[in-house]
Amino acid sequence: MARLINAIASLAEGRLYLAQSTEVLRMLEERLKEEDKDIIARENVLGALQKFSLRRPLQTAMIRDGLIFWLIHLLKEPDCLSDYTLEYSVALLMNLCLRSAGKRVCATMAGLVLKVLSDLLGHENHEIQPYVNGALYSILSIPSVREEARAMGMEDILRCFMKEGNAEMTRQIEFIIKQLNSEELPGGGLDSDDDDDEDEEEDHDTMEADLDKDELIQPQLGELSGEKLLTTEYLGIMTNTGKPRRRGLASVQRGGDEPLRRPVTPGGHRNGCPV
C-alpha cells in the first residue's frame, strides 16, 4: 500500500488527489514514526511524504505536526540509513526549511540543526549535497541562526568542504558563506510565506526506478498487469474533465550556481526538469 501511495504521489495529479483529505497525510506520518522493521515500507512512506512536500498546504501541516524535529533526529545517524531514506529525508527537510514556519522551528534548535547539516556535507553520498546546501542557505536567513553558526565556526567548516568539492558545490557554498556573513534583514529574515491559498507547486512527474525496489508481488502466468491491465479493464471508466495544468519549468527554481530555493523531489532534481 505504501508503494502504491508513493507511486501516485509521484504525479502532480496524484498529489492533488491525495491532498483532498489530511487523513492520508496523518496516516503516513504515523506509519513513518512507528515503522522500524519493514525498511521498504518506510522508504515508500518517506518517499510519498517527500513528494507531498511539493504542495504548500501539506508543507504547513507537516511542519505543524513536528516532522522537522523527527527528521533532524533521524539524520543524526545517517550511516544507519539506506541511500533512499537518506536522500528523501534530507530533501524533505530542505523543502520544509524553505518555509518561514520551518525556519522558525529550526531556529528553536539551531545548534543541533547546524551540527546535523554540517556533518551531512561530508557524507559519502553526494546526491544529498544540493538539499543540504539548500537547507543551510534557507535557515541562515534568520539572524539568530547566523549568530549560532558563527559561534560554532561554520565558515571554516564550509571552506574545508570547498577545497574537497566540485565546482558546483564550491559555488553553492560561496552563496551560503555570503548568507552567513550578511547583515540582519528587515523582518528578521522571515518573509511572509504562510498563506496556503496559492499553491506554487511545479509539475514534477517523476516515476523513479526505486518504486519497484524489492517488489515481491508478480503477475501469474496469463494474468493482466501494468499498462495492459489498465487499458483493458479501466480505460474509459473515468474521464478527466479538469482544466489543463500549467507546466512549470525547473529553470525558474534557482540560478545555475545558487543553492536550491524552491521545493524539489530527488527524482525530478536528478533529471534536471519535470517529465
Side-chain angles (χ1 to χ4, degrees), residues 69-219:
F69 290 102
W70 186 88
L71 288 166
I72 289 297
H73 286 285
L74 176 75
L75 292 168
K76 285 196 292 187
E77 299 182 9
D79 292 336
C80 299
L81 307 176
S82 68
D83 286 341
Y84 187 96
T85 298
L86 178 61
E87 195 171 338
Y88 275 77
S89 57
V90 177
L92 173 56
L93 177 65
M94 185 201 77
N95 285 358
L96 299 182
C97 287
L98 295 176
R99 297 291 302 279
S100 59
K103 296 176 193 178
R104 283 194 291 268
V105 171
C106 290
T108 66
M109 49 175 178
L112 177 59
V113 174
L114 290 167
K115 172 70 165 59
V116 168
L117 291 175
S118 60
D119 287 347
L120 288 172
L121 280 172
H123 197 274
E124 61 184 11
N125 185 342
H126 299 299
E127 297 289 344
I128 67 174
Q129 288 179 349
Y131 317 123
V132 177
N133 291 344
L136 271 174
Y137 184 84
S138 181
I139 65 174
L140 286 172
S141 65
I142 303 178
S144 62
V145 178
R146 290 200 299 273
E147 185 177 339
E148 181 74 28
R150 290 167 189 154
M152 64 183 286
M154 178 62 76
E155 182 170 351
D156 292 337
I157 296 171
L158 291 169
R159 292 198 181 280
C160 286
F161 289 116
M162 284 178 69
K163 298 173 185 176
E164 303 171 6
N166 57 33
E168 182 181 6
M169 174 79 164
T170 298
R171 288 191 294 268
Q172 288 187 15
I173 290 179
E174 287 172 351
F175 275 96
I176 296 171
I177 291 174
K178 184 177 179 181
Q179 179 85 304
L180 174 64
N181 293 323
S182 62
E183 297 301 320
E184 182 168 346
L185 300 171
L190 287 172
D191 298 325
S192 179
D193 69 347
D194 290 326
D195 186 359
D196 289 331
D197 292 341
E198 288 296 323
D199 196 351
E200 298 179 358
E201 178 195 5
E202 302 294 335
D203 277 333
H204 291 282
D205 285 355
T206 306
M207 306 290 282
E208 69 266 24
D210 287 310
L211 286 168
D212 289 327
K213 178 181 175 182
D214 296 335
E215 174 62 88
L216 299 177
I217 302 173
Q218 300 296 334

